Amino acid sequence: MKAIIPVAGAGTKLRPHTYTQPKALIPLAGRTILSIIIDQLVEAGISEFVFVVGYLGEKIQHYVEKKYPKLTCHFVHQASREGTGHAMLLTREVVGNDEILIVLGDTICECDFKEVIAAPYSMLGLKKVDDPRNFGVAELDDQARITRVVEKPQIPKSNLALVGLYKIKETQQLFDCLQSNIDNKIKSHDEFQLTDALECMIEHGVQFNGFKVSNWFDCGRKDTLLETNAILLKKYKLASNPVLPYENTIIIPPVSIGEGCNIKNAIIGPNVAIGDNTVINYSIVKDSIIGSFSNLYEVVLKSSLIGSDANIRGLSQSLNIGDNTEIDLG
């Protein structure tokens, strides 16, 4: 089995950070969104990956090759972003006849991946949501078989959202449906959607079963990313992560602090993730993500997302600034 991870999106909802950093490499609980996904799949036994890259794709490739040198990795370039269906079709030659597990590059879910991989049928990950109109939606029969999938329906007939996990056994039927939809310009919301290809497969008799994920973490916007960071810090039990004594500093767990940081005269936490080689002095930071190689001096930050190589002086309450930024609030 091969895992396909599409990471070609521009991540516009996380601007300005995604001007210089792919969304999949945004830091989260001392890791990155992409590393959390890959680690889950490696633990489940997958060793061959296909990444669909585009925007800032060279950063994705460099990161994966450096961090996971023992994995077999393929990188497929999506020159024009025309939707998830278009992205999947680009992998046809690399995938061949192998079964695939598709995990969207901003999807962090908790489920039994080994059980999903071993299932005798194609499987789609599902989660109940309050407003399913912003998601792909699945309709099930009384035996948990999926009878229909629709992308962002205006009048949903189900509250079961597709979470971005797809185990496909009938890969050739998938690629045939993807090709047919593109040839016939079948789009939803102005894009070629993977959901439409899945519906084509269902109409041609392919059986899909649904499986419910226990948790589904949203990494698409600043506020939900910070919430996810707090949840995962607790989950990874990083309360005791800072092992070095920081001068005149109080650490309130859970906190993740990268290597080479210089922190003094500060209060850090709770729910803070700090990248490598960051300097913090005379500051208070809570409920925030701070990138690597940043400098914070005399600031009070809460609910903030700070990129790498940023310099901040003065007092503030909530910021959302990108990489290579210098701010003086004094």
Side-chain angles (χ1 to χ4, degrees):
M1 173 171 282
K2 293 183 174 75
I4 301 179
I5 306 179
V7 283
T12 55
K13 294 179 181 178
L14 278 173
R15 298 297 197 205
H17 305 277
T18 48
Y19 282 125
T20 55
Q21 187 83 309
K23 179 168 67 172
L25 298 186
I26 294 291
L28 188 66
R31 302 162 76 180
T32 65
I33 297 171
L34 185 58
S35 70
I36 293 172
I37 296 171
I38 294 175
D39 290 345
Q40 286 179 318
L41 301 182
V42 170
E43 186 178 350
I46 296 179
S47 60
E48 189 166 0
F49 289 76
V50 182
F51 300 91
V52 182
V53 299
Y55 178 73
L56 299 175
E58 69 283 353
K59 289 192 173 184
I60 295 283
Q61 184 167 349
H62 175 75
Y63 176 84
V64 171
E65 290 176 343
K66 181 179 180 180
K67 187 172 178 62
Y68 299 98
K70 295 183 179 180
L71 296 180
T72 302
C73 297
H74 311 271
F75 298 89
V76 178
H77 186 71
Q78 186 183 25
S80 58
R81 295 189 297 273
E82 300 181 53
T84 52
H86 176 256
M88 288 304 103
L89 186 59
L90 295 174
T91 69
R92 185 170 199 165
E93 184 175 340
V94 175
V95 169
N97 294 316
D98 291 341
E99 295 182 13
I100 56 176
L101 182 65
I102 302 169
V103 184
L104 300 187
D106 57 358
T107 296
I108 297 178
C109 293
E110 292 182 343
C111 66
D112 189 336
F113 282 97
K114 290 183 180 180
E115 183 177 322
V116 172
I117 292 170
Y121 305 109
S122 290
M123 306 281 283
L124 304 182
L126 306 174
K127 182 75 173 176
K128 287 185 178 180
V129 296
D130 294 331
D131 186 357
R133 291 175 297 176
N134 292 322
F135 305 97
V137 174
E139 300 173 22
L140 276 65
D141 63 16
D142 55 5
Q143 296 181 330
R145 290 180 300 204
I146 296 174
T147 58
R148 185 169 181 249
V149 289
V150 185
E151 183 66 24
K152 297 177 182 177
Q154 286 301 305
I155 305 176
K157 295 184 179 180
S158 163
N159 65 347
L160 291 173
L162 300 174
V163 300
L165 296 178
Y166 316 85
K167 181 268 188 78
I168 310 292
K169 293 179 67 69
E170 301 84 357
T171 50
Q172 290 310 304
Q173 289 94 321
L174 171 66
F175 290 127
D176 288 345
C177 282
L178 289 168
Q179 188 67 63
S180 176
N181 287 351
I182 290 175
D183 290 343
N184 293 287
K185 295 180 169 49
I186 298 175
K187 295 184 176 183
S188 296
H189 307 281
D190 297 321
E191 290 187 334
F192 296 111
Q193 302 286 353
L194 175 59
T195 305
D196 293 332
L198 300 176
E199 175 62 18
C200 169
M201 294 174 69
I202 292 171
E203 291 175 355
H204 284 82
V206 175
Q207 179 174 334
F208 283 91
N209 283 25
F211 67 95
K212 294 181 180 179
V213 299
S214 54
N215 286 301
W216 180 19
F217 301 111
D218 187 350
C219 303
R221 301 186 310 277
K222 175 202 167 189
D223 55 344
T224 56
L225 184 67
L226 292 174
E227 290 174 8
T228 298
N229 181 63
I231 294 170
L232 293 182
L233 282 170
K234 294 181 179 72
K235 173 179 170 59
Y236 298 149
K237 298 181 180 178
L238 293 170
S240 59
N241 178 258
V243 295
L244 296 177
Y246 297 105
E247 180 183 342
N248 195 31
T249 292
I250 297 173
I251 303 293
I252 305 173
V255 168
S256 171
I257 299 177
E259 297 180 358
C261 290
N262 184 353
I263 301 173
K264 56 185 177 181
N265 307 309
I267 301 174
I268 307 296
N271 307 321
V272 174
I274 301 172
D276 296 338
N277 302 296
T278 284
V279 177
I280 301 176
N281 196 4
Y282 292 106
S283 298
I284 300 173
V285 184
K286 62 182 291 188
D287 300 316
S288 298
I289 299 174
I290 313 297
S292 300
F293 295 96
S294 293
N295 289 272
L296 279 60
Y297 183 78
E298 288 187 343
V299 296
V300 179
L301 295 179
K302 65 178 181 180
S303 303
S304 295
L305 181 57
I306 308 298
S308 297
D309 199 26
N311 290 277
I312 308 170
R313 297 174 63 89
L315 297 175
S316 177
Q317 288 300 310
S318 180
L319 294 175
N320 186 19
I321 64 174
D323 297 354
N324 301 296
T325 303
E326 183 170 349
I327 292 179
D328 188 344
L329 298 171

